[in-house]
Amino acid sequence: GWQVSTKSGSLSYILPCNRLPVQLMSQVRVYTSNGQKKDLGSEHTNGSARGETLHKVETGRQDTANAGQKQSSPKQPIQVKVKAVLKKREYGPKYTQNNFITGVRAINEFCLKSSDLDQLRKIKRRSPHDDTETFTVYLRSDVEAKSLEVWGSPEALARERKRRKEAEIKYRENLFRNQRLLWEYKEFFGNTKPRSSTAAMFFKGPGKVVMVAICINGLNFFFKLLAWVYTGSASMFSEAIHSLADTCNQALLALGISQSARTPDPSHPYGFTNMRYIASLISGVGIFMMGAGLSWYHGIMGLLHPHPVESLLWAYCILAGSLVSEGATLLVAINEIRRSARAKGLSFYQYVVQSRDPSTNVVLLEDAAAVLSVAVAATCMGLTSLTGNPYYDSVGSLGVGTLLGTVSAFLIYTNTEALLGRSIEPEQLQRLTELLESDPVVRAIHDVKATDMGMSKVRFKAEVDFDGRVVTRSYLEKQDIEQLLQEIQQVKTLEELEAFMLKHGENIIDMLGAEVDRLEKDLKQRNPDVRHVDLEIL
């Protein structure tokens, strides 16, 4: 029930409690179970009397509850440990005081000169590039202060940035105009510049195959067109259109090869290698529209409006020559694909289906379709000459169109898959995963993605769970342990402890970055196809 009251200052509280009420006082008197008391501070007389009364009540309750038992041992005073922590710093939504900036960015973004940077603090940091180990950076706060010192105010700096931006736009316009004038000058006086590496690409590998195909298909188109004009055969017209489509498509492939050799720029940091796939995709669409579409149209018109076919002797001769020339180009393409597939450790079928070299694939499939279409056209023209029925010739035109449509569909599918960024083979991905997991600094890897960027270039990405103890041990192995122990022993205050931890914490983070660089380098060295590696710390 409502048993006792407790006073604190001038206030009085009635507590409904079955336990000993707690008196709120500025100073505390501790009572033991044997009736003795220990004074922890001065106290008023009425407080002492209340304490003795409370002690009696508690003693009576304990005697009733613990009848026949020994008195409990004296209670120990409560000890409270206070945890010392550093004050949390508030950095705000934008904090750039500790940011580093390269000299090039300092000159471009803050409109400074190289001589202005000589007066600033220089810091050596680990380089993100493979060809250099370290490079020089500056504190962004120092650069900002120097820019204000040079330009006087943020408004003056903003005006200078705007002026330089306008000058850059004008420079680009003048550069485009000068390049056009230079091109006209070369056209007029002749280009005496030595042969470039882009031109050399057409004398070996896929470029050679494409150039041979362009020359042969161009001659085939000319002679087939003459044969069609002389005979009026629908199959011969389909063959002429087929050769024209092949010539145009292979010229497009040559353009794609030359564009793919361009060096990467800020707008295209990964280069232009996909231009071969784009050219091959357009080529497949062109085969479907020009080759298959016109062949189907001419075959259907021949069925609807048949007309007699003239002498086919010259047509047979031209078809025979076309068969020999197309076969020669086909052999060149087959030999090139075999050589490339052997170098990659793939079979001939795998190399073609995976579209490893789209330009050579187009030549291979176009020439294979050309050889088959010559056989189909010759067969249908022979049936027409034997039976005198022109319907066979129109059916041959439809057959050639169907063959070209099949080839174009395959080219569109394979090149679209390559442009979408398909994954590499599971076996190759497993080798990359095992290489990372076997390293002692890696605990586990997650979210592994390896994308084929085309032309045997792979981009690898993974979330890596690093072992912090191994990284720290690697850092300690490079330190003087005796000196490190002396630094620890000299730490006496929180400020000294903070400085010690910040110093070695930053060094351990640098060590972790060096481990990431080492893993990326190992992946590239053991797998030459891997060109870009993104390891994210989990």
Side-chain angles (χ1 to χ4, degrees):
W2 300 84
Q3 298 175 358
V4 295
S5 63
T6 299
K7 291 185 178 181
S8 176
S10 60
L11 298 179
S12 177
Y13 303 92
I14 297 178
L15 302 176
C17 180
N18 294 327
R19 297 183 181 180
L20 176 64
V22 179
Q23 185 176 5
L24 303 178
M25 300 179 296
S26 60
Q27 296 186 2
V28 180
R29 184 184 301 274
V30 178
Y31 293 87
T32 61
S33 59
N34 56 5
Q36 297 179 355
K37 59 184 178 180
K38 182 178 179 182
D39 194 358
L40 298 182
S42 60
E43 190 177 5
H44 298 289
T45 303
N46 56 354
S48 177
R50 271 196 309 270
E52 293 174 357
T53 303
L54 295 176
H55 170 67
K56 293 178 180 179
V57 174
E58 177 62 21
T59 303
R61 291 182 179 178
Q62 289 180 355
D63 292 340
T64 304
N66 303 319
Q69 296 181 0
K70 296 182 179 180
Q71 292 182 349
S72 61
S73 60
K75 296 182 179 179
Q76 298 296 330
I78 299 175
Q79 296 181 358
V80 180
K81 293 183 178 181
V82 179
K83 183 179 179 181
V85 295
L86 292 175
K87 183 180 179 181
K88 184 179 179 181
R89 292 188 179 182
E90 297 294 338
Y91 294 101
K94 183 178 181 181
Y95 183 80
T96 60
Q97 296 301 315
N98 293 337
N99 288 13
F100 292 140
I101 187 173
T102 61
V104 176
R105 284 189 60 191
I107 293 174
N108 293 335
E109 295 183 11
F110 293 91
C111 305
L112 297 176
K113 300 178 181 178
S114 57
S115 58
D116 297 330
L117 301 179
D118 295 338
Q119 306 171 9
L120 303 181
R121 289 178 291 177
K122 299 179 179 61
I123 303 173
K124 293 290 185 180
R125 298 295 295 174
R126 183 170 44 84
S127 174
H129 308 290
D130 297 334
D131 53 350
T132 55
E133 294 183 359
T134 60
F135 72 133
T136 303
V137 294
Y138 304 88
L139 276 174
R140 185 184 182 94
S141 57
D142 294 347
V143 175
E144 291 176 349
K146 187 63 179 179
S147 65
L148 292 179
E149 178 185 343
V150 172
W151 296 104
S153 65
E155 293 77 12
L157 178 60
R159 288 194 298 269
E160 178 63 19
R161 286 176 177 172
K162 182 178 180 181
R163 187 190 67 81
R164 293 193 179 190
K165 187 67 175 179
E166 294 174 352
E168 181 181 359
I169 296 175
K170 186 176 181 180
Y171 169 78
R172 289 181 179 179
E173 294 176 352
N174 293 335
L175 180 63
F176 176 77
R177 190 181 301 109
N178 293 336
Q179 287 178 346
R180 184 174 182 181
L181 292 175
L182 182 62
W183 179 79
E184 294 177 354
Y185 171 83
K186 290 179 180 180
E187 288 291 324
F188 183 76
F189 290 99
N191 189 1
T192 58
K193 184 178 180 180
R195 189 185 306 276
S196 62
S197 59
T198 303
M201 295 178 60
F202 294 102
F203 293 91
K204 61 180 180 180
K208 178 182 177 180
V209 176
V210 171
M211 294 306 297
V212 171
I214 288 176
C215 296
I216 291 179
N217 284 318
L219 292 175
N220 287 339
F221 166 70
F222 178 73
F223 288 113
K224 288 178 181 178
L225 186 64
L226 292 179
W228 171 71
V229 172
Y230 181 74
T231 62
S233 170
S235 297
M236 186 55 64
F237 174 80
S238 298
E239 279 298 305
I241 294 299
H242 183 186
S243 297
L244 176 62
D246 289 349
T247 305
C248 295
N249 291 329
Q250 286 151 9
L252 184 62
L253 293 179
L255 177 62
I257 291 175
S258 63
Q259 291 295 315
S260 66
R262 294 169 57 186
T263 56
D265 56 23
S267 300
H268 305 85
Y270 291 106
F272 299 85
T273 54
N274 283 339
M275 280 300 300
R276 295 195 183 190
Y277 292 96
I278 295 175
S280 300
L281 178 62
I282 299 175
S283 177
V285 176
I287 292 174
F288 184 81
M289 294 180 62
M290 294 180 61
L294 289 177
S295 297
W296 283 332
Y297 171 78
H298 207 73
I300 293 174
M301 294 303 295
L303 292 175
L304 296 177
H305 308 285
H307 60 276
V309 180
E310 303 293 337
S311 176
L312 301 177
L313 177 61
W314 287 104
Y316 290 139
C317 294
I318 292 175
L319 285 178
S322 176
L323 181 64
V324 173
S325 61
E326 296 284 2
T329 308
L330 179 62
L331 290 177
V332 173
I334 290 175
N335 291 332
E336 177 63 25
I337 290 180
R338 282 180 176 175
R339 184 186 64 81
S340 301
R342 193 180 306 112
K344 297 295 181 183
L346 299 174
S347 65
F348 184 89
Y349 175 77
Q350 289 176 333
Y351 193 89
V352 173
V353 171
Q354 295 177 12
S355 190
R356 293 280 180 167
D357 188 353
S359 303
T360 308
N361 277 2
V362 172
V363 175
L364 172 71
L365 296 175
E366 284 182 348
D367 290 339
V371 171
L372 293 177
S373 63
V374 166
V376 171
T379 301
C380 292
M381 290 170 60
L383 292 175
T384 298
S385 61
L386 289 176
T387 61
N389 188 352
Y391 286 106
Y392 290 108
D393 187 57
S394 300
V395 171
S397 180
L398 294 176
V400 172
T402 303
L403 185 61
L404 293 178
T406 304
V407 171
S408 65
F410 178 78
L411 290 177
I412 292 172
Y413 171 76
T414 55
N415 287 283
T416 301
E417 286 291 311
L419 289 172
L420 288 176
R422 60 193 171 194
S423 178
I424 62 176
E425 292 297 317
E427 295 79 8
Q428 186 180 6
L429 182 60
Q430 181 66 23
R431 288 197 300 268
L432 296 175
T433 303
E434 292 177 354
L435 177 60
L436 283 179
E437 290 181 336
S438 61
D439 196 279
V441 80
V442 177
R443 279 200 181 110
I445 59 174
H446 309 278
D447 193 22
V448 180
K449 297 176 183 178
T451 306
D452 187 354
M453 300 175 60
M455 301 306 298
S456 301
K457 292 184 179 181
V458 176
R459 182 178 181 180
F460 182 83
K461 176 262 179 185
E463 301 275 353
V464 183
D465 185 4
F466 285 91
D467 191 338
R469 294 187 176 185
V470 176
V471 175
T472 306
R473 187 175 292 109
S474 300
Y475 170 72
L476 293 177
E477 291 173 354
K478 299 180 180 180
Q479 304 299 316
D480 187 351
I481 299 298
E482 295 294 338
Q483 182 181 358
L484 188 61
L485 183 59
Q486 293 177 2
E487 292 182 9
I488 295 175
Q489 293 174 350
Q490 293 174 359
V491 173
K492 303 298 182 183
T493 63
L494 291 177
E495 290 76 11
E496 294 176 352
L497 177 61
E498 181 183 7
F500 176 83
M501 295 299 296
L502 291 177
K503 172 187 173 182
H504 293 282
E506 183 176 6
N507 293 338
I508 292 176
I509 293 298
D510 290 341
M511 175 62 67
L512 179 59
E515 293 294 335
V516 173
D517 292 343
R518 179 182 61 81
L519 291 175
E520 292 179 351
K521 188 176 181 180
D522 290 345
L523 284 174
K524 293 178 181 179
Q525 286 181 347
R526 299 189 185 185
N527 300 272
D529 291 346
V530 178
R531 302 295 181 88
H532 307 282
V533 181
D534 299 323
L535 298 181
E536 301 181 6
I537 302 174
L538 187 61

